[in-house]
Amino acid sequence: LAALALGKIGKAALPAVEKLLDHEDETSRYYALWVIGMIGSDAKEQTPRILKMMEKDADEEVRVKSIQTLVRIAADSKEVQDKLIQRALKTGDLSAERQVAIEELHRLGAPALAPLAKLASDPELLLTEIGAKANTSMHQLLDDNKSNAFAETALPHLGDFLAAEPPTVFDFVPPKHEGLGWILARHGEQRCTVMQQNFSKPVRVWTKNGE
């Protein structure tokens, strides 16, 4: 309740809250990050400190909360974007940190297009929680950015978006696909010719004998 109240106070609460980021109690650090995330871009000056917590804090929940906080205070920071994308694309990693990084990628806007297209269209992730989170985050990104300017940026990835199958995990809730439909309805025609050309190219298949 104290954290919620401080978050609603906003920037004026920062001088007191930022001191708790070094608190020996992990719960105090966790809630300090929560408050800073609620304050938003007014707390952007804390970005370097929280980046360090994301990588080096001893507590996993604090590291996870650091990721969630960073995209709320500095989603436009190139360093934050690079760190989140790097964490999201870390293959073989099923940690909570990677899952949260993927969940939060959509908040980065256009820089998240390529990594989410890659993750959501990866057939090896269909059976994993990672695949479900990537698919949801991808469609959240498209749903939140229904503009002509964003669509132009997204068009090169349209093939990957269309290839992204719904994950087969039991509790996956399919996205609405509103953003993808919006792009296809307004800008899909200019990509159809290119996609048809790619599909019509002859494919060379190599056998075991090298033929």
Side-chain angles (χ1 to χ4, degrees):
L1 290 175
L4 183 60
L6 289 166
K8 289 182 177 293
I9 288 171
K11 189 174 183 179
L14 266 178
V17 174
E18 65 184 18
K19 297 177 182 178
L20 298 177
L21 293 176
D22 292 325
H23 201 284
E24 62 181 12
D25 174 44
E26 62 272 13
T27 304
S28 297
R29 299 197 301 276
Y30 177 93
Y31 280 107
L33 288 166
W34 188 28
V35 173
I36 291 172
M38 289 181 64
I39 293 173
S41 59
D42 283 339
K44 190 173 183 177
E45 63 191 37
Q46 298 299 321
T47 300
R49 196 172 180 183
I50 299 174
L51 277 168
K52 185 176 179 180
M53 294 177 72
M54 182 189 80
E55 296 180 339
K56 297 184 178 180
D57 197 276
D59 185 78
E60 182 185 57
E61 291 188 14
V62 171
R63 296 194 300 271
V64 165
K65 181 56 71 174
S66 297
I67 294 171
Q68 295 170 330
T69 302
L70 284 167
V71 294
R72 285 162 175 78
I73 68 172
D76 59 345
S77 162
K78 183 66 165 57
E79 186 175 10
V80 169
Q81 292 171 0
D82 289 346
K83 292 289 186 182
L84 248 68
I85 291 171
Q86 181 182 5
R87 181 63 58 88
L89 294 178
K90 189 176 180 181
T91 57
D93 179 10
L94 299 178
S95 69
E97 293 150 84
R98 186 190 182 196
Q99 294 187 40
V100 168
I102 291 172
E103 282 180 325
E104 300 292 344
L105 270 184
H106 68 91
R107 299 182 187 275
L108 302 183
L113 281 167
L116 281 176
K118 180 178 180 179
L119 288 165
S121 60
D122 186 344
E124 293 185 2
L125 296 179
L126 284 178
L127 298 174
T128 70
E129 193 71 20
I130 295 289
K133 293 183 184 301
N135 194 287
T136 300
S137 190
M138 179 192 75
H139 285 289
Q140 187 69 55
L141 173 66
L142 300 179
D143 291 351
D144 290 346
N145 294 277
K146 289 182 280 187
S147 71
N148 290 325
F150 186 85
E152 290 290 343
T153 307
L155 281 175
H157 308 288
L158 191 57
D160 287 330
F161 295 152
L162 293 171
E165 299 180 42
T168 54
V169 294
F170 178 74
D171 58 349
F172 176 68
V173 179
K176 295 180 180 179
H177 299 83
E178 294 175 351
L180 181 57
W182 192 94
I183 292 174
L184 286 169
R186 289 162 178 77
H187 300 273
E189 186 175 352
Q190 62 178 288
R191 286 295 296 171
C192 282
T193 303
V194 176
M195 293 170 70
Q196 287 172 349
Q197 289 174 350
N198 289 337
F199 292 148
S200 64
K201 290 179 181 178
V203 179
R204 177 174 293 177
V205 179
W206 295 94
T207 66
K208 290 182 179 179
N209 297 326
E211 301 173 353

mmCIF file of all heavy atoms in Angstrom, residues 14 28 38 51 55-56 83 156 178 188 190 196 202 209 211:
data_model
loop_
_atom_site.group_PDB
_atom_site.id
_atom_site.type_symbol
_atom_site.label_atom_id
_atom_site.label_comp_id
_atom_site.label_asym_id
_atom_site.label_seq_id
_atom_site.Cartn_x
_atom_site.Cartn_y
_atom_site.Cartn_z
ATOM 1 N N LEU A 14 10.530 10.360 -5.595
ATOM 2 C CA LEU A 14 11.785 9.756 -6.042
ATOM 3 C C LEU A 14 12.942 9.881 -5.054
ATOM 4 O O LEU A 14 13.647 8.898 -4.813
ATOM 5 C CB LEU A 14 12.213 10.345 -7.387
ATOM 6 C CG LEU A 14 11.787 9.579 -8.637
ATOM 7 C CD1 LEU A 14 12.244 10.316 -9.888
ATOM 8 C CD2 LEU A 14 12.344 8.167 -8.621
ATOM 9 N N SER A 28 12.290 -4.878 -0.277
ATOM 10 C CA SER A 28 12.335 -3.417 -0.333
ATOM 11 C C SER A 28 12.828 -2.945 -1.698
ATOM 12 O O SER A 28 12.297 -1.983 -2.270
ATOM 13 C CB SER A 28 13.246 -2.871 0.775
ATOM 14 O OG SER A 28 12.734 -3.185 2.048
ATOM 15 N N MET A 38 5.936 2.923 -11.756
ATOM 16 C CA MET A 38 4.694 3.686 -11.751
ATOM 17 C C MET A 38 4.943 5.161 -12.063
ATOM 18 O O MET A 38 4.146 5.809 -12.740
ATOM 19 C CB MET A 38 4.002 3.560 -10.392
ATOM 20 C CG MET A 38 3.404 2.200 -10.106
ATOM 21 S SD MET A 38 2.583 2.165 -8.482
ATOM 22 C CE MET A 38 1.255 3.347 -8.756
ATOM 23 N N LEU A 51 19.575 -0.723 -14.862
ATOM 24 C CA LEU A 51 20.232 -1.647 -15.800
ATOM 25 C C LEU A 51 21.236 -2.535 -15.068
ATOM 26 O O LEU A 51 21.328 -3.741 -15.335
ATOM 27 C CB LEU A 51 20.942 -0.859 -16.899
ATOM 28 C CG LEU A 51 20.093 -0.402 -18.086
ATOM 29 C CD1 LEU A 51 20.854 0.597 -18.942
ATOM 30 C CD2 LEU A 51 19.656 -1.600 -18.940
ATOM 31 N N GLU A 55 21.118 -6.869 -14.343
ATOM 32 C CA GLU A 55 22.175 -7.820 -14.663
ATOM 33 C C GLU A 55 22.831 -8.457 -13.441
ATOM 34 O O GLU A 55 23.294 -9.597 -13.519
ATOM 35 C CB GLU A 55 23.243 -7.120 -15.502
ATOM 36 C CG GLU A 55 22.724 -6.655 -16.862
ATOM 37 C CD GLU A 55 23.801 -5.969 -17.682
ATOM 38 O OE1 GLU A 55 24.790 -5.511 -17.082
ATOM 39 O OE2 GLU A 55 23.650 -5.900 -18.911
ATOM 40 N N LYS A 56 22.847 -7.735 -12.311
ATOM 41 C CA LYS A 56 23.688 -8.199 -11.214
ATOM 42 C C LYS A 56 22.984 -8.395 -9.864
ATOM 43 O O LYS A 56 23.619 -8.902 -8.930
ATOM 44 C CB LYS A 56 24.853 -7.222 -11.024
ATOM 45 C CG LYS A 56 25.773 -7.143 -12.235
ATOM 46 C CD LYS A 56 26.966 -6.239 -11.978
ATOM 47 C CE LYS A 56 27.902 -6.210 -13.166
ATOM 48 N NZ LYS A 56 29.083 -5.334 -12.930
ATOM 49 N N LYS A 83 19.652 -4.126 -24.538
ATOM 50 C CA LYS A 83 19.749 -5.103 -23.447
ATOM 51 C C LYS A 83 18.540 -6.033 -23.429
ATOM 52 O O LYS A 83 18.677 -7.245 -23.235
ATOM 53 C CB LYS A 83 19.869 -4.383 -22.105
ATOM 54 C CG LYS A 83 21.174 -3.628 -21.902
ATOM 55 C CD LYS A 83 22.347 -4.569 -21.701
ATOM 56 C CE LYS A 83 23.615 -3.797 -21.349
ATOM 57 N NZ LYS A 83 24.783 -4.691 -21.196
ATOM 58 N N PRO A 156 8.416 -5.265 -43.987
ATOM 59 C CA PRO A 156 9.463 -6.258 -44.296
ATOM 60 C C PRO A 156 9.358 -7.535 -43.469
ATOM 61 O O PRO A 156 9.917 -8.569 -43.851
ATOM 62 C CB PRO A 156 10.757 -5.497 -43.988
ATOM 63 C CG PRO A 156 10.404 -4.062 -44.147
ATOM 64 C CD PRO A 156 9.003 -3.951 -43.657
ATOM 65 N N GLU A 178 -5.791 -7.981 -34.434
ATOM 66 C CA GLU A 178 -6.356 -6.766 -35.012
ATOM 67 C C GLU A 178 -5.292 -5.951 -35.754
ATOM 68 O O GLU A 178 -5.548 -5.420 -36.837
ATOM 69 C CB GLU A 178 -6.991 -5.912 -33.917
ATOM 70 C CG GLU A 178 -8.213 -6.567 -33.280
ATOM 71 C CD GLU A 178 -8.748 -5.761 -32.114
ATOM 72 O OE1 GLU A 178 -8.062 -4.800 -31.700
ATOM 73 O OE2 GLU A 178 -9.837 -6.088 -31.630
ATOM 74 N N GLY A 188 -1.105 -4.510 -47.359
ATOM 75 C CA GLY A 188 -0.701 -5.859 -47.751
ATOM 76 C C GLY A 188 -0.493 -6.032 -49.240
ATOM 77 O O GLY A 188 0.351 -6.810 -49.670
ATOM 78 N N GLN A 190 0.913 -4.202 -51.507
ATOM 79 C CA GLN A 190 2.246 -3.898 -52.022
ATOM 80 C C GLN A 190 3.267 -4.967 -51.649
ATOM 81 O O GLN A 190 4.323 -5.056 -52.266
ATOM 82 C CB GLN A 190 2.715 -2.531 -51.504
ATOM 83 C CG GLN A 190 2.856 -2.434 -49.999
ATOM 84 C CD GLN A 190 3.370 -1.081 -49.552
ATOM 85 O OE1 GLN A 190 4.537 -0.774 -49.749
ATOM 86 N NE2 GLN A 190 2.503 -0.274 -48.959
ATOM 87 N N GLN A 196 4.708 -13.325 -53.534
ATOM 88 C CA GLN A 196 4.400 -14.293 -54.586
ATOM 89 C C GLN A 196 5.641 -14.636 -55.396
ATOM 90 O O GLN A 196 5.855 -15.786 -55.782
ATOM 91 C CB GLN A 196 3.307 -13.735 -55.494
ATOM 92 C CG GLN A 196 1.939 -13.731 -54.845
ATOM 93 C CD GLN A 196 0.912 -12.993 -55.688
ATOM 94 O OE1 GLN A 196 1.260 -12.318 -56.638
ATOM 95 N NE2 GLN A 196 -0.354 -13.152 -55.338
ATOM 96 N N PRO A 202 12.256 -21.274 -58.022
ATOM 97 C CA PRO A 202 12.589 -22.698 -57.918
ATOM 98 C C PRO A 202 13.437 -22.969 -56.679
ATOM 99 O O PRO A 202 14.278 -22.154 -56.298
ATOM 100 C CB PRO A 202 13.380 -22.978 -59.196
ATOM 101 C CG PRO A 202 13.907 -21.646 -59.615
ATOM 102 C CD PRO A 202 12.873 -20.645 -59.198
ATOM 103 N N ASN A 209 23.218 -37.697 -51.332
ATOM 104 C CA ASN A 209 24.281 -37.940 -52.307
ATOM 105 C C ASN A 209 24.827 -36.655 -52.912
ATOM 106 O O ASN A 209 25.716 -36.709 -53.767
ATOM 107 C CB ASN A 209 23.760 -38.847 -53.437
ATOM 108 C CG ASN A 209 23.370 -40.215 -52.915
ATOM 109 O OD1 ASN A 209 24.012 -40.709 -51.977
ATOM 110 N ND2 ASN A 209 22.354 -40.816 -53.509
ATOM 111 N N GLU A 211 23.118 -34.633 -54.795
ATOM 112 C CA GLU A 211 22.498 -34.364 -56.103
ATOM 113 C C GLU A 211 21.492 -33.220 -55.995
ATOM 114 O O GLU A 211 20.872 -33.051 -54.957
ATOM 115 C CB GLU A 211 21.819 -35.631 -56.607
ATOM 116 C CG GLU A 211 22.791 -36.798 -56.758
ATOM 117 C CD GLU A 211 22.064 -38.091 -57.090
ATOM 118 O OE1 GLU A 211 20.818 -38.088 -57.060
ATOM 119 O OE2 GLU A 211 22.723 -39.081 -57.385
#
